[in-house]
Amino acid sequence: MTFDTIVALATSRGRGAIAIVRLSGPEALAIASALSGGKTFSPRHATLTRLHDRDGQLIDEALVIYFENPKSFTGENVVEFQLHGGDAVAMLAIDELLALGARAAEPGEFSKRAFLNGKIDLTKAEAIASLIDAKSKESARLLARQLTGELKQFVDAQRDELIRILAHSEVMIDYADEELPDDLLEGLASSLKILQAALQKTLDSSRNRDGFFTGYKVAIVGKPNVGKSSLLNALLAYERAIVSEVAGTTRDTVEEFIVLGSHTIKIVDTAGIRESSDAIEAIGIGYSKKMIEESDIILSLFDGSRPLDDDDTAIRSLIDEVSGNKPVITVINKSDLPAEFDIGMLQQDAPVSLSCRGDISPLKARLTDVLDGMSDSSEQILISKRQIAQVEMTLRALSDALAPLMRGELEIFSFHINEAIASLSAISRPYEHDQMLDEMFGNFCLGK
Ligand SMILES: Nc1nc2c(ncn2[C@@H]2O[C@H](COP(=O)(O)OP(=O)(O)OP(=O)(O)O)[C@@H](O)[C@H]2O)c(=O)[nH]1
Ligand SMILES: [Mg+2]
């Protein structure tokens, strides 16, 4: 396969000590050399050189590294320019590289080439894409393991087992005229069930794990005026949301990232929930419900300086009804005021009592514990919707295969096993399907 030569900024935009511009393709070396006044570069050596534009004006003094194909990320000739930081210098360099014949890369195009040139399989490509957005050390660790091929090995092992089962079935078809011992069919069925269980386990632990990679979402929910916005501000340690003694101050949701231990989480302040005829507030309440559904952890907040009332119990039932089995942490606020609140009837396990005007570290500690518990990185998990869909298809094919096997209809059994093998193989190595590849790599960052 031959490609043109592409260029993109590989580091993120904005202020920074270094900006890296990456060039990949058959003309990479020639173009880099032209930009450097005819300098030649030897593979894997860092060369300090001056870059000039077409008018002879100095762009920057850059460190240039040449990776000769196939020993590069994309498998093509790659040249990386380490420029002084900031967007302006990098944009000047990219302008010149475009003028010299390179083309601006599409998002994910470098990784796509790496895949097409056989440098990475799709599980690695997806791990690279997710690693960029990883919001906890645990998820970064898990993705790093996938970069070494852990998921691919798991998938390959299951596929090899399926191929073994298929081979048995084919042999039995060939000897169809002879009487087949029953235990042969049972042996196949039990191998199949072991495989089903392994895939199902991986699938179960992979569902709803988005937050593990992109940062768990934590919603603060409670009736108006209990101090939800005050709690958000206290967690952020600055006045982000408007706080006032007027109930119904927050009308929209306010979201901010904070770092807790090794986790980056998104804290969401919601509008207070209560029975209300105020149309705007009613919209806010709709948002709150949605936020509970979309969040991974709920902070159920009460005002400790007032007696429990119907609004409190109504909200609590709403949370119980919508949150499913997500962790809910009960927080009783305003502990600096005389206590009037009795949590008794809500039957909570160990609520956290605090004052947003004082020390909120007990809540931070509780949240960190919950997050640690949700971030087990030792399991084998699928990291993309695509991978999950492939495993679901595989499992469907396996369950379709079971009934014909029990009836001894081995041709039909083999047909479904073939389907399962194709679905499973597609996790790391799909049949080259342009549209699917464009879609997948199109979600990558530019320069990757
Ligand atoms: N004494 C005391 N007052 C608090 C505490 N936390 C919040 N408040 C006060 O309670 C009032 C309501 O606080 P907000 O943070 O605006 O409450 P909210 O839950 O966001 O209210 P809505 O947005 O209206 O639903 C404000 O006057 C806060 O100053 C606390 O720990 N102690
Ligand atoms: Mg508020």
Side-chain angles (χ1 to χ4, degrees), residues 193-247:
K193 282 177 187 158
I194 291 170
L195 214 131
Q196 267 177 321
L199 289 174
Q200 190 65 51
K201 180 163 176 275
T202 302
L203 190 62
D204 290 342
S205 48
S206 309
R207 287 209 174 105
N208 306 321
R209 289 291 287 262
D210 282 2
F212 180 55
F213 299 107
T214 56
Y216 286 114
K217 217 172 185 177
V218 179
I220 309 173
V221 181
K223 74 177 179 190
N225 230 35
V226 294
K228 297 180 297 300
S229 302
S230 304
L231 183 59
L232 172 90
N233 291 345
L235 285 164
L236 291 175
Y238 76 94
E239 302 301 304
R240 167 66 180 84
I242 300 169
V243 167
S244 87
E245 64 281 5
V246 181

Side-chain angles (χ1 to χ4, degrees), residues 115-174:
F115 169 73
L116 291 172
N117 288 323
K119 298 294 287 191
I120 54 174
D121 72 89
L122 283 186
T123 61
K124 278 192 192 178
E126 283 172 321
I128 291 170
S130 298
L131 202 48
I132 296 170
D133 295 318
K135 287 286 189 290
S136 70
K137 288 182 190 163
E138 288 75 15
S139 62
R141 267 189 212 118
L142 184 134
L143 293 169
R145 292 209 319 267
Q146 297 211 347
L147 281 179
T148 67
E150 201 181 83
L151 178 61
K152 185 177 179 302
Q153 282 157 22
F154 171 75
V155 168
D156 286 353
Q158 310 295 330
R159 195 204 49 206
D160 289 350
E161 175 65 7
L162 276 174
I163 291 173
R164 194 186 65 80
I165 291 173
L166 182 67
H168 272 242
S169 167
E170 298 292 313
V171 170
M172 282 154 76
I173 290 170
D174 288 346

Side-chain angles (χ1 to χ4, degrees), residues 205-350:
S205 48
S206 309
R207 287 209 174 105
N208 306 321
R209 289 291 287 262
D210 282 2
F212 180 55
F213 299 107
T214 56
Y216 286 114
K217 217 172 185 177
V218 179
I220 309 173
V221 181
K223 74 177 179 190
N225 230 35
V226 294
K228 297 180 297 300
S229 302
S230 304
L231 183 59
L232 172 90
N233 291 345
L235 285 164
L236 291 175
Y238 76 94
E239 302 301 304
R240 167 66 180 84
I242 300 169
V243 167
S244 87
E245 64 281 5
V246 181
T249 302
T250 306
R251 294 297 175 101
D252 209 342
T253 52
V254 178
E255 305 192 345
E256 287 291 331
F257 280 110
I258 65 161
V259 176
L260 265 188
S262 65
H263 313 274
T264 302
I265 56 172
K266 194 190 258 181
I267 299 278
V268 190
D269 176 21
T270 62
I273 307 179
R274 69 169 164 202
E275 308 290 344
S276 163
S277 54
D278 179 332
I280 300 180
E281 213 175 309
I283 294 173
I285 293 167
Y287 274 129
S288 304
K289 285 187 185 170
K290 201 164 142 248
M291 286 325 307
I292 299 174
E293 278 163 7
E294 289 174 1
S295 298
D296 304 292
I297 301 172
I298 320 295
L299 301 185
S300 168
L301 192 61
F302 297 95
D303 182 343
S305 70
R306 288 170 189 274
L308 182 93
D309 64 16
D310 290 350
D311 278 340
D312 289 316
T313 37
I315 287 170
R316 193 48 187 236
S317 357
L318 178 84
I319 292 176
D320 290 344
E321 177 194 315
V322 185
S323 64
N325 48 15
K326 293 171 188 171
V328 176
I329 302 175
T330 304
V331 183
I332 302 175
N333 188 25
K334 310 198 189 182
S335 65
D336 53 311
L337 299 176
E340 291 289 341
F341 187 77
D342 179 13
I343 190 76
M345 49 180 300
L346 291 181
Q347 292 171 359
Q348 272 323 298
D349 36 71

